[in-house]
Coordinates of all heavy atoms in Angstrom, one line a residue:
M1 N 5.9 15.4 -3.6 CA 5.7 14.9 -2.3 C 4.9 15.9 -1.5 O 5.2 17.1 -1.5 CB 7.0 14.6 -1.6 CG 7.0 14.3 -0.2 SD 6.3 12.8 0.5 CE 5.4 11.9 -0.7
I2 N 3.9 15.4 -0.8 CA 3.1 16.4 0.0 C 3.6 16.4 1.4 O 4.2 15.5 1.9 CB 1.6 16.0 0.0 CG1 1.3 14.7 0.7 CG2 1.0 16.0 -1.4 CD1 -0.1 14.3 0.8
D3 N 3.4 17.5 2.0 CA 3.8 17.7 3.4 C 2.5 17.5 4.2 O 1.4 18.0 4.0 CB 4.2 19.2 3.6 CG 4.6 19.5 5.0 OD1 4.6 18.7 5.9 OD2 4.8 20.7 5.3
S4 N 2.6 16.6 5.3 CA 1.5 16.3 6.1 C 0.8 17.5 6.7 O -0.4 17.5 7.0 CB 1.9 15.2 7.1 OG 2.8 15.8 8.0
A5 N 1.5 18.6 6.9 CA 1.0 19.8 7.4 C 0.0 20.5 6.5 O -0.8 21.3 6.9 CB 2.1 20.8 7.8
T6 N 0.1 20.2 5.2 CA -0.8 20.8 4.2 C -2.1 20.0 3.9 O -2.9 20.5 3.2 CB -0.1 21.1 2.9 OG1 0.2 19.8 2.3 CG2 1.2 21.9 3.1
V7 N -2.2 18.8 4.5 CA -3.4 18.0 4.3 C -4.5 18.5 5.1 O -4.4 18.7 6.3 CB -3.1 16.5 4.6 CG1 -4.3 15.7 4.5 CG2 -1.9 16.0 3.8
P8 N -5.7 18.8 4.4 CA -6.8 19.3 5.2 C -7.3 18.3 6.2 O -7.3 17.1 5.9 CB -7.9 19.5 4.1 CG -7.1 19.6 2.8 CD -5.9 18.7 3.0
V9 N -7.8 18.7 7.3 CA -8.3 17.8 8.3 C -9.5 17.1 7.8 O -10.4 17.7 7.2 CB -8.7 18.7 9.6 CG1 -9.4 17.8 10.6 CG2 -7.5 19.4 10.2
G10 N -9.5 15.8 8.0 CA -10.6 15.0 7.6 C -10.5 14.5 6.1 O -11.4 13.8 5.6
A11 N -9.5 14.9 5.4 CA -9.4 14.6 4.0 C -9.1 13.1 3.8 O -8.4 12.5 4.6 CB -8.3 15.4 3.3
T12 N -9.6 12.5 2.8 CA -9.3 11.1 2.5 C -8.4 11.0 1.3 O -7.8 9.9 1.1 CB -10.6 10.3 2.3 OG1 -11.3 10.8 1.2 CG2 -11.5 10.2 3.5
W13 N -8.4 12.0 0.4 CA -7.5 12.1 -0.7 C -6.9 13.5 -0.7 O -7.5 14.5 -0.3 CB -8.3 12.0 -2.0 CG -8.7 10.6 -2.4 CD1 -9.7 9.9 -2.0 CD2 -7.9 9.7 -3.3 NE1 -9.7 8.6 -2.5 CE2 -8.6 8.5 -3.3 CE3 -6.8 9.8 -4.0 CZ2 -8.2 7.4 -4.1 CZ3 -6.4 8.7 -4.8 CH2 -7.1 7.5 -4.8
H14 N -5.6 13.6 -1.1 CA -5.0 14.9 -1.3 C -3.9 14.8 -2.3 O -3.0 13.9 -2.2 CB -4.4 15.3 0.1 CG -3.8 16.7 0.1 ND1 -4.6 17.8 -0.1 CD2 -2.6 17.2 0.2 CE1 -3.9 18.9 0.0 NE2 -2.6 18.5 0.2
R15 N -4.0 15.6 -3.3 CA -3.0 15.6 -4.4 C -2.7 14.2 -5.0 O -1.6 13.8 -5.1 CB -1.7 16.3 -4.0 CG -1.9 17.7 -3.6 CD -0.7 18.5 -3.3 NE -1.0 19.8 -3.0 CZ -0.1 20.7 -2.5 NH1 1.2 20.3 -2.3 NH2 -0.4 21.9 -2.2
D16 N -3.8 13.5 -5.3 CA -3.7 12.2 -5.9 C -3.1 11.1 -5.0 O -2.7 10.0 -5.5 CB -2.9 12.2 -7.2 CG -3.6 13.0 -8.3 OD1 -4.9 13.0 -8.3 OD2 -2.9 13.6 -9.1
I17 N -3.2 11.3 -3.7 CA -2.7 10.3 -2.7 C -3.9 9.9 -1.9 O -4.6 10.7 -1.3 CB -1.6 10.9 -1.8 CG1 -0.3 11.1 -2.7 CG2 -1.3 9.9 -0.7 CD1 0.8 11.7 -1.9
D18 N -4.1 8.6 -1.9 CA -5.2 8.0 -1.1 C -4.7 7.9 0.3 O -4.0 7.0 0.7 CB -5.6 6.6 -1.7 CG -6.7 6.0 -0.9 OD1 -7.1 6.4 0.2 OD2 -7.2 5.0 -1.5
L19 N -5.1 8.9 1.1 CA -4.6 9.0 2.5 C -5.1 7.8 3.4 O -4.4 7.3 4.3 CB -5.1 10.3 3.1 CG -4.6 11.5 2.4 CD1 -5.3 12.8 3.0 CD2 -3.1 11.7 2.5
V20 N -6.3 7.3 3.1 CA -6.9 6.1 3.8 C -6.0 4.9 3.5 O -5.7 4.2 4.5 CB -8.3 5.9 3.4 CG1 -8.8 4.6 4.1 CG2 -9.2 7.1 3.8
A21 N -5.6 4.7 2.3 CA -4.8 3.5 1.9 C -3.4 3.7 2.7 O -2.9 2.7 3.2 CB -4.6 3.5 0.4
V22 N -2.8 4.8 2.7 CA -1.5 5.1 3.3 C -1.7 4.7 4.8 O -0.9 4.0 5.4 CB -1.0 6.5 3.1 CG1 0.2 6.8 4.0 CG2 -0.7 6.7 1.7
E23 N -2.7 5.2 5.5 CA -2.9 5.0 6.9 C -3.2 3.5 7.2 O -2.7 3.0 8.2 CB -4.1 5.8 7.4 CG -3.8 7.3 7.6 CD -2.7 7.6 8.6 OE1 -2.4 6.8 9.5 OE2 -2.0 8.6 8.4
R24 N -3.9 2.8 6.3 CA -4.1 1.4 6.5 C -2.7 0.6 6.4 O -2.5 -0.3 7.2 CB -5.0 0.8 5.4 CG -6.5 1.2 5.7 CD -7.4 0.5 4.8 NE -7.3 -1.0 4.8 CZ -7.4 -1.8 3.8 NH1 -7.8 -1.3 2.6 NH2 -7.3 -3.1 3.9
V25 N -1.9 1.0 5.5 CA -0.5 0.4 5.4 C 0.2 0.7 6.7 O 0.8 -0.2 7.3 CB 0.2 0.9 4.2 CG1 1.7 0.5 4.3 CG2 -0.4 0.3 2.9
L26 N 0.2 1.9 7.2 CA 1.0 2.3 8.4 C 0.4 1.6 9.6 O 1.2 1.2 10.5 CB 1.0 3.8 8.6 CG 1.8 4.6 7.5 CD1 1.6 6.1 7.7 CD2 3.2 4.1 7.4
A27 N -0.9 1.3 9.7 CA -1.5 0.7 10.8 C -1.4 -0.9 10.7 O -1.9 -1.6 11.6 CB -3.0 1.1 10.9
N28 N -0.9 -1.3 9.5 CA -0.8 -2.8 9.2 C -2.2 -3.4 9.2 O -2.4 -4.5 9.7 CB 0.1 -3.5 10.2 CG 0.7 -4.8 9.6 OD1 0.7 -4.9 8.4 ND2 1.1 -5.7 10.5
S29 N -3.2 -2.7 8.7 CA -4.6 -3.1 8.6 C -4.8 -4.0 7.4 O -4.8 -3.5 6.3 CB -5.5 -1.9 8.6 OG -6.8 -2.3 8.5
L30 N -4.9 -5.3 7.7 CA -5.0 -6.3 6.6 C -6.4 -6.3 6.0 O -7.4 -6.1 6.7 CB -4.6 -7.7 7.1 CG -3.2 -7.8 7.6 CD1 -3.0 -9.1 8.2 CD2 -2.2 -7.5 6.6
P31 N -6.6 -6.6 4.7 CA -5.5 -6.7 3.7 C -4.9 -5.4 3.4 O -5.6 -4.4 3.2 CB -6.2 -7.3 2.5 CG -7.6 -6.8 2.6 CD -7.9 -6.7 4.1
L32 N -3.6 -5.4 3.2 CA -2.9 -4.1 2.9 C -3.1 -3.8 1.5 O -2.9 -4.6 0.6 CB -1.4 -4.3 3.1 CG -0.9 -4.6 4.6 CD1 0.6 -4.9 4.6 CD2 -1.3 -3.4 5.5
P33 N -3.4 -2.5 1.2 CA -3.6 -2.0 -0.2 C -2.2 -1.9 -0.8 O -1.2 -1.7 -0.2 CB -4.3 -0.7 0.0 CG -3.9 -0.2 1.3 CD -3.7 -1.4 2.2
V34 N -2.2 -2.0 -2.1 CA -1.0 -1.7 -2.9 C -1.0 -0.2 -3.2 O -2.0 0.3 -3.7 CB -1.0 -2.5 -4.3 CG1 0.2 -2.2 -5.1 CG2 -1.1 -4.0 -4.0
L35 N 0.1 0.4 -2.9 CA 0.2 1.9 -3.0 C 0.9 2.3 -4.3 O 1.7 1.5 -4.8 CB 1.0 2.5 -1.8 CG 0.5 2.2 -0.4 CD1 1.4 2.9 0.6 CD2 -1.0 2.7 -0.3
T36 N 0.5 3.4 -4.8 CA 1.2 4.0 -5.9 C 2.6 4.5 -5.4 O 2.9 4.5 -4.2 CB 0.5 5.2 -6.5 OG1 0.5 6.3 -5.5 CG2 -0.9 4.9 -6.9
D37 N 3.5 4.9 -6.4 CA 4.8 5.4 -6.0 C 4.7 6.6 -5.0 O 5.4 6.7 -4.0 CB 5.6 5.7 -7.2 CG 6.1 4.5 -8.0 OD1 6.0 3.3 -7.5 OD2 6.5 4.6 -9.1
A38 N 3.8 7.5 -5.4 CA 3.6 8.7 -4.6 C 3.1 8.4 -3.2 O 3.5 8.9 -2.2 CB 2.7 9.7 -5.3
E39 N 2.2 7.4 -3.1 CA 1.6 7.0 -1.8 C 2.7 6.3 -1.0 O 2.8 6.5 0.2 CB 0.4 6.1 -2.1 CG -0.8 6.8 -2.6 CD -1.9 5.9 -3.2 OE1 -1.6 4.7 -3.4 OE2 -3.0 6.4 -3.4
A40 N 3.5 5.5 -1.6 CA 4.6 4.8 -0.9 C 5.6 5.8 -0.4 O 6.0 5.6 0.8 CB 5.3 3.8 -1.8
D41 N 5.9 6.8 -1.2 CA 6.8 7.8 -0.7 C 6.2 8.5 0.6 O 6.9 8.7 1.6 CB 7.1 8.9 -1.7 CG 8.0 8.5 -2.8 OD1 8.7 7.4 -2.7 OD2 8.2 9.2 -3.8
Y42 N 5.0 8.8 0.5 CA 4.3 9.5 1.6 C 4.2 8.6 2.8 O 4.4 9.0 4.0 CB 2.9 9.9 1.2 CG 2.2 10.8 2.2 CD1 2.8 12.0 2.6 CD2 1.0 10.5 2.7 CE1 2.2 12.8 3.6 CE2 0.3 11.3 3.7 CZ 0.9 12.5 4.1 OH 0.3 13.3 5.0
A43 N 4.0 7.3 2.6 CA 4.0 6.3 3.7 C 5.4 6.2 4.4 O 5.5 6.1 5.6 CB 3.6 4.9 3.2
V44 N 6.4 6.3 3.6 CA 7.8 6.3 4.1 C 8.0 7.5 5.0 O 8.6 7.4 6.1 CB 8.9 6.2 3.0 CG1 10.3 6.4 3.5 CG2 8.8 4.8 2.4
V45 N 7.6 8.7 4.5 CA 7.8 9.9 5.3 C 7.0 9.8 6.6 O 7.6 10.1 7.7 CB 7.3 11.2 4.5 CG1 7.3 12.4 5.3 CG2 8.2 11.4 3.3
L46 N 5.7 9.5 6.5 CA 4.9 9.4 7.7 C 5.4 8.3 8.7 O 5.5 8.5 9.9 CB 3.5 9.2 7.4 CG 2.7 10.3 6.8 CD1 1.2 9.9 6.6 CD2 2.7 11.5 7.7
G47 N 5.7 7.1 8.1 CA 6.1 6.0 8.9 C 7.4 6.3 9.6 O 7.6 5.9 10.8
T48 N 8.3 6.9 8.9 CA 9.6 7.3 9.5 C 9.4 8.3 10.7 O 10.0 8.1 11.7 CB 10.6 7.9 8.5 OG1 10.8 6.9 7.4 CG2 11.9 8.3 9.1
S49 N 8.5 9.3 10.4 CA 8.3 10.3 11.5 C 7.6 9.6 12.7 O 7.7 10.1 13.8 CB 7.5 11.4 11.0 OG 6.1 11.0 10.7
R50 N 6.9 8.5 12.5 CA 6.2 7.8 13.6 C 7.1 6.7 14.2 O 6.6 6.0 15.1 CB 4.9 7.2 13.0 CG 3.9 8.2 12.6 CD 2.7 7.6 12.0 NE 1.8 8.6 11.5 CZ 0.6 8.4 10.9 NH1 0.2 7.1 10.8 NH2 -0.1 9.3 10.5
G51 N 8.3 6.6 13.7 CA 9.2 5.7 14.4 C 9.2 4.3 13.9 O 9.8 3.4 14.5
L52 N 8.6 4.0 12.7 CA 8.6 2.7 12.1 C 10.0 2.4 11.6 O 10.6 3.2 10.9 CB 7.5 2.5 11.1 CG 6.1 2.6 11.5 CD1 5.1 2.6 10.3 CD2 5.7 1.5 12.5
S53 N 10.4 1.2 11.8 CA 11.7 0.8 11.3 C 11.6 0.5 9.8 O 10.6 0.3 9.2 CB 12.2 -0.5 12.0 OG 11.4 -1.6 11.6
A54 N 12.8 0.4 9.1 CA 12.9 0.1 7.7 C 12.3 -1.3 7.5 O 11.6 -1.5 6.5 CB 14.3 0.2 7.2
E55 N 12.5 -2.2 8.4 CA 12.0 -3.6 8.3 C 10.5 -3.6 8.4 O 9.8 -4.2 7.6 CB 12.5 -4.5 9.4 CG 14.0 -4.8 9.3 CD 14.9 -3.6 9.7 OE1 14.5 -2.7 10.4 OE2 16.1 -3.6 9.3
E56 N 9.9 -2.8 9.3 CA 8.4 -2.7 9.4 C 7.8 -2.1 8.2 O 6.8 -2.6 7.6 CB 8.0 -1.9 10.6 CG 8.3 -2.5 12.0 CD 8.1 -1.6 13.1 OE1 8.7 -0.5 13.2 OE2 7.3 -2.0 14.0
L57 N 8.4 -1.0 7.7 CA 7.9 -0.4 6.5 C 8.0 -1.2 5.3 O 7.1 -1.3 4.5 CB 8.5 1.0 6.3 CG 8.1 2.1 7.2 CD1 9.0 3.3 7.0 CD2 6.6 2.5 6.8
G58 N 9.1 -1.9 5.2 CA 9.4 -2.8 4.1 C 8.3 -3.9 4.0 O 7.8 -4.2 2.9
E59 N 8.0 -4.5 5.2 CA 7.0 -5.6 5.2 C 5.7 -5.0 4.7 O 5.0 -5.7 3.9 CB 6.8 -6.1 6.6 CG 7.8 -7.2 7.0 CD 7.5 -7.7 8.4 OE1 6.3 -7.6 8.8 OE2 8.4 -8.3 9.0
R60 N 5.3 -3.9 5.2 CA 4.0 -3.3 4.9 C 3.9 -2.8 3.4 O 2.9 -2.9 2.8 CB 3.7 -2.2 5.8 CG 3.5 -2.7 7.2 CD 3.4 -1.7 8.3 NE 3.6 -2.3 9.6 CZ 3.4 -1.6 10.7 NH1 2.9 -0.4 10.7 NH2 3.5 -2.2 11.9
L61 N 5.1 -2.4 2.9 CA 5.1 -1.9 1.5 C 5.5 -3.0 0.5 O 5.5 -2.7 -0.7 CB 6.1 -0.7 1.4 CG 5.6 0.6 2.2 CD1 6.8 1.5 2.2 CD2 4.4 1.2 1.5
R62 N 5.8 -4.2 1.0 CA 6.1 -5.3 0.2 C 7.5 -5.1 -0.6 O 7.6 -5.4 -1.8 CB 5.0 -5.7 -0.8 CG 3.7 -6.1 -0.1 CD 2.7 -6.4 -1.1 NE 1.4 -6.6 -0.5 CZ 0.4 -5.7 -0.4 NH1 0.6 -4.5 -0.9 NH2 -0.7 -6.0 0.2
V63 N 8.4 -4.5 0.1 CA 9.8 -4.2 -0.4 C 10.8 -4.6 0.6 O 10.4 -4.8 1.8 CB 10.0 -2.8 -0.9 CG1 9.0 -2.4 -2.0 CG2 9.9 -1.8 0.3
A64 N 12.0 -4.7 0.2 CA 13.1 -5.0 1.2 C 13.4 -3.8 2.1 O 13.2 -2.7 1.6 CB 14.4 -5.5 0.4
A65 N 13.9 -4.1 3.3 CA 14.2 -3.0 4.2 C 15.3 -2.1 3.5 O 15.2 -0.8 3.7 CB 14.7 -3.5 5.5
R66 N 16.2 -2.6 2.8 CA 17.2 -1.8 2.2 C 16.6 -0.8 1.1 O 17.1 0.2 0.9 CB 18.3 -2.7 1.6 CG 17.9 -3.5 0.4 CD 19.1 -4.3 -0.2 NE 18.7 -5.1 -1.3 CZ 18.1 -6.4 -1.2 NH1 18.0 -6.9 0.0 NH2 17.8 -7.0 -2.3
T67 N 15.5 -1.2 0.5 CA 14.8 -0.3 -0.4 C 14.2 0.8 0.4 O 14.3 2.0 -0.1 CB 13.7 -1.1 -1.1 OG1 14.3 -2.2 -1.9 CG2 12.9 -0.2 -2.1
V68 N 13.6 0.6 1.5 CA 13.1 1.7 2.4 C 14.3 2.6 2.8 O 14.1 3.8 2.7 CB 12.4 1.1 3.6 CG1 12.0 2.3 4.6 CG2 11.2 0.3 3.2
V69 N 15.4 2.1 3.2 CA 16.6 2.9 3.5 C 17.0 3.8 2.3 O 17.2 5.0 2.5 CB 17.7 2.0 4.0 CG1 19.0 2.8 4.1 CG2 17.4 1.3 5.3
R70 N 17.0 3.2 1.1 CA 17.3 4.0 -0.1 C 16.3 5.1 -0.3 O 16.6 6.2 -0.6 CB 17.5 3.0 -1.3 CG 18.0 3.8 -2.5 CD 18.1 2.9 -3.8 NE 16.8 2.6 -4.3 CZ 16.2 1.4 -4.4 NH1 16.8 0.4 -3.9 NH2 15.0 1.3 -4.9
W71 N 15.0 4.7 -0.2 CA 13.9 5.7 -0.4 C 14.1 6.8 0.6 O 13.9 8.0 0.3 CB 12.6 5.1 -0.3 CG 12.2 4.2 -1.4 CD1 12.8 4.1 -2.6 CD2 11.1 3.3 -1.5 NE1 12.2 3.1 -3.4 CE2 11.1 2.7 -2.8 CE3 10.0 3.0 -0.6 CZ2 10.1 1.7 -3.2 CZ3 9.1 2.0 -1.0 CH2 9.1 1.4 -2.3
R72 N 14.4 6.5 1.9 CA 14.6 7.5 2.9 C 15.7 8.5 2.5 O 15.6 9.7 2.6 CB 14.9 6.9 4.2 CG 13.7 6.3 4.9 CD 14.1 5.6 6.2 NE 12.9 5.2 6.9 CZ 12.9 4.4 8.0 NH1 14.0 3.9 8.4 NH2 11.8 4.1 8.6
A73 N 16.8 7.9 2.0 CA 17.9 8.7 1.6 C 17.5 9.6 0.4 O 17.8 10.8 0.3 CB 19.1 7.9 1.2
D74 N 16.8 9.1 -0.6 CA 16.3 9.8 -1.7 C 15.4 11.0 -1.3 O 15.3 12.0 -2.0 CB 15.6 8.9 -2.8 CG 16.5 7.9 -3.4 OD1 17.7 8.1 -3.3 OD2 15.9 7.0 -4.1
L75 N 14.6 10.8 -0.2 CA 13.6 11.8 0.2 C 14.3 12.7 1.2 O 13.6 13.6 1.8 CB 12.4 11.1 0.9 CG 11.5 10.3 0.0 CD1 10.6 9.4 0.7 CD2 10.7 11.2 -0.9
G76 N 15.6 12.5 1.5 CA 16.3 13.4 2.4 C 16.0 13.2 3.9 O 16.1 14.0 4.7
L77 N 15.6 11.9 4.2 CA 15.3 11.5 5.6 C 16.4 10.7 6.1 O 17.0 9.9 5.3 CB 14.0 10.7 5.6 CG 12.7 11.3 5.1 CD1 11.6 10.3 5.0 CD2 12.3 12.5 6.0
S78 N 16.7 10.8 7.4 CA 17.6 9.8 8.0 C 16.8 8.6 8.4 O 15.6 8.6 8.5 CB 18.4 10.5 9.2 OG 17.5 10.7 10.2
D79 N 17.5 7.6 8.8 CA 16.9 6.3 9.2 C 16.1 6.5 10.5 O 15.2 5.7 10.8 CB 17.9 5.2 9.3 CG 17.5 4.0 8.4 OD1 16.6 4.2 7.5 OD2 18.1 3.0 8.6
D80 N 16.5 7.6 11.3 CA 15.8 7.8 12.6 C 14.6 8.8 12.5 O 14.1 9.2 13.5 CB 16.8 8.1 13.7 CG 17.5 9.5 13.4 OD1 17.1 10.1 12.4 OD2 18.3 9.8 14.2
G81 N 14.3 9.2 11.2 CA 13.2 10.1 11.0 C 13.5 11.6 11.0 O 12.7 12.4 10.8
A82 N 14.8 12.0 11.2 CA 15.2 13.4 11.2 C 15.3 13.9 9.8 O 15.5 13.3 8.9 CB 16.5 13.5 12.0

């Protein structure tokens, strides 16, 4: 998992993660790209820090909200982004 603080300014890819695709998902820019597992993890981290609910992230990632809640727990995140 990459830390958003380590991503170079203006980068479109970083450590095999398509940052543009992740941002499109977070912005709900249709058509939504299908993300890899690593990209989905990064989207959950960023989306959580931006205050997106599990329901919102689930819709955008095409998974159930409970899956987002589980991924947050696996990534050491609380449901409120802390």
Side-chain angles (χ1 to χ4, degrees):
M1 172 64 356
I2 65 173
D3 176 8
S4 60
T6 66
V7 176
V9 175
T12 59
W13 281 84
H14 187 65
R15 297 189 182 167
D16 295 326
I17 292 180
D18 183 344
L19 302 172
V20 174
V22 171
E23 287 298 335
R24 285 189 54 215
V25 166
L26 294 177
N28 203 25
S29 179
L30 301 175
L32 295 174
V34 176
L35 302 180
T36 65
D37 290 345
E39 290 165 346
D41 284 351
Y42 190 57
V44 168
V45 170
L46 286 181
T48 301
S49 71
R50 294 177 186 178
L52 293 174
S53 69
E55 290 78 16
E56 289 172 304
L57 282 171
E59 273 184 26
R60 295 173 193 187
L61 294 169
R62 300 176 186 100
V63 298
R66 68 181 179 272
T67 301
V68 174
V69 171
R70 188 182 73 243
W71 288 349
R72 284 176 171 168
D74 292 347
L75 292 166
L77 302 170
S78 67
D79 239 13
D80 63 4

